[in-house]
Amino acid sequence: MILLQSPSRYLLQILSNRIQNLEKGVELDCQWVEFDDIRYHIQGSVKNPNVLLLSVSLPIPPPETVLFGGLPLGALEAIKAAYGVVAQILDPPRDGFNLTLKLNLSKLPPDEEHKHSLLTKIASVREVVMGAPLRAVLKQLVTRTVPSDLGKPIALVHRPNESFFLVPQADKVTVIFPMRFHDSIDTVLATSFLQEFVEARRTAGLNNAPPCLWSPSPPQELKEAFTDALSANAGFVSFVIFPRHVEGRKLDRTVWNLSTFHAYVNYHVKCSECFMHTRMRRQVESLIQVLDRAKPDSEKAKRNSPSRSFKRMSLKDGNNSLGSRSWK
């Protein structure tokens, strides 16, 4: 199964091309939208090619989530720690966006490897911003810090008007996803996919993976959550994260995989639907070929024989033809 990549490939391509063509001083103004309704807008001028303005719009948050200045908890601190002097946060951001960064490309490190690493980190601004509260909670597992909101569900936005929940405890964090789909076919496929997903976790090769559970009704950990946030037509998926899952470099991968889990499921549901449609078309084509081969030869010959036309004759024409035959 495919895993989504953290950096925005289009944003990384724009940044790399800008670095390579600084002398040309090309005007830059690009907008695009990526999955889960994340919008980007990047601008650059000819007068100052080293400066870029990168604006990011996040999904519309549901009522149960809490934002600070339009951003998740800890996002500003995460941006400063990730980008340092290369990125400056503009306050207020540009109209229609939650965040605007002023990027100074002249302050990138001279070493090519470090430069590419920082550009990749900038292209991963979605993970840095939206994964900040999840990262802060999971770091408490590493440091063995007892959270102040022990056992209380924390709602984090990850899709427009949708959230998932964290339930921090002393030695683990339970992550719960209400799975919602607008199409009835997607709902059926997703339900089957998630049940198989849970069964696959029980295989011997995945013993170190986080425990995974699926249930059609909300788990007990969400008894204090908003009722409107618990509407899910494809059930609830729960992951139990232990300290071993977030040690060292595993933390970044765990944060990204959890933040994009719904998009991961939705991608594979659409791929499964496309695969089944392709198989159905091939099956219909093969059945049509079988029916063509089953037709008798006489029917094929009749179908392939040249068409004949008949001309209606009058009584006068009939008498003339009989008279001509009598003289012969």
Side-chain angles (χ1 to χ4, degrees):
M1 296 184 179
I2 190 170
L3 293 175
L4 300 172
Q5 299 299 315
S6 171
S8 168
R9 296 183 62 182
Y10 187 56
L11 178 55
L12 182 59
Q13 180 182 354
I14 290 176
L15 295 174
S16 300
N17 292 339
R18 190 71 174 184
I19 293 295
Q20 297 172 3
N21 301 289
L22 283 176
E23 297 80 8
K24 296 181 180 180
V26 180
E27 193 77 20
L28 179 62
D29 192 346
C30 298
Q31 297 190 52
W32 70 98
V33 181
E34 296 191 354
F35 63 93
D36 291 341
D37 200 28
I38 305 292
R39 293 192 300 115
Y40 297 87
H41 186 198
I42 188 168
Q43 294 175 295
S45 63
V46 178
K47 296 180 180 179
N48 196 351
N50 282 307
V51 175
L52 297 176
L53 292 181
L54 174 61
S55 301
V56 182
S57 175
L58 305 180
I60 300 174
E64 63 270 13
T65 58
V66 178
L67 300 182
F68 296 86
L71 295 174
L73 177 65
L76 296 179
E77 293 77 7
I79 293 171
K80 295 176 182 178
Y83 306 137
V85 297
V86 177
Q88 177 186 353
I89 303 173
L90 299 185
D91 188 20
R94 310 204 67 161
D95 292 340
F97 293 89
N98 300 86
L99 173 68
T100 299
L101 297 177
K102 183 179 180 181
L103 305 177
N104 192 341
L105 302 182
S106 62
K107 295 185 178 180
L108 289 171
D111 182 67
E112 289 298 328
E113 184 177 353
H114 291 138
K115 181 186 296 185
H116 184 267
S117 177
L118 187 53
L119 291 178
T120 304
K121 195 68 175 179
I122 296 174
S124 305
V125 61
R126 168 204 175 105
E127 177 193 3
V128 174
V129 174
M130 296 191 64
L134 175 58
R135 184 185 302 273
V137 173
L138 294 181
K139 277 186 175 180
Q140 293 178 348
L141 280 179
V142 181
T143 59
R144 302 299 196 274
T145 304
V146 179
S148 58
D149 48 1
L150 188 67
K152 297 181 180 179
I154 304 172
L156 302 181
V157 61
H158 68 137
R159 303 181 74 235
N161 294 313
E162 294 185 17
S163 60
F164 68 100
F165 297 90
L166 306 180
V167 183
Q169 297 176 359
D171 58 345
K172 63 182 179 180
V173 174
T174 304
V175 186
I176 305 172
F177 293 89
M179 305 301 295
R180 305 178 182 92
F181 295 87
H182 299 293
D183 187 77
S184 58
I185 297 178
D186 291 351
T187 303
V188 174
L189 293 177
T191 303
S192 177
F193 176 86
L194 292 171
Q195 291 174 352
E196 292 295 330
F197 190 86
V198 173
E199 290 296 327
R201 164 61 182 81
R202 299 175 181 175
T203 57
L206 298 176
N207 290 331
N208 293 326
C212 179
L213 301 173
W214 178 88
S215 64
S217 57
Q220 289 295 324
E221 291 87 349
L222 298 183
K223 59 183 179 181
E224 298 182 6
F226 289 92
T227 305
D228 296 338
L230 301 181
S231 60
N233 54 8
F236 295 79
V237 180
S238 302
F239 293 96
V240 182
I241 308 299
F242 292 101
R244 68 175 184 272
H245 299 132
V246 291
E247 293 174 347
R249 296 183 178 180
K250 295 180 182 179
L251 177 61
D252 292 339
R253 185 174 58 185
T254 302
V255 169
W256 174 249
N257 290 342
L258 291 174
S259 302
T260 58
F261 176 71
H262 196 288
Y264 166 85
V265 174
N266 193 43
Y267 174 85
H268 285 89
V269 166
K270 293 298 183 183
C271 288
S272 300
E273 190 173 348
C274 180
F275 175 75
M276 286 188 287
H277 286 175
T278 304
R279 289 289 302 270
M280 290 166 63
R281 293 189 188 99
R282 290 178 180 174
Q283 187 68 18
V284 170
E285 291 174 357
S286 64
L287 291 176
I288 291 175
Q289 294 176 0
V290 172
L291 291 175
D292 288 339
R293 290 195 300 265
K295 292 180 179 179
D297 295 338
S298 59
E299 186 175 341
K300 293 181 181 179
K302 187 185 296 183
R303 186 179 59 184
N304 297 329
S305 61
S307 59
R308 297 179 181 179
S309 60
F310 298 91
K311 181 180 179 182
R312 179 174 294 182
M313 300 178 63
S314 62
L315 293 175
K316 183 177 179 180
D317 295 334
N319 293 333
N320 290 338
S321 62
L322 292 174
S324 61
R325 289 181 182 177
S326 62
W327 287 100
K328 289 182 180 180

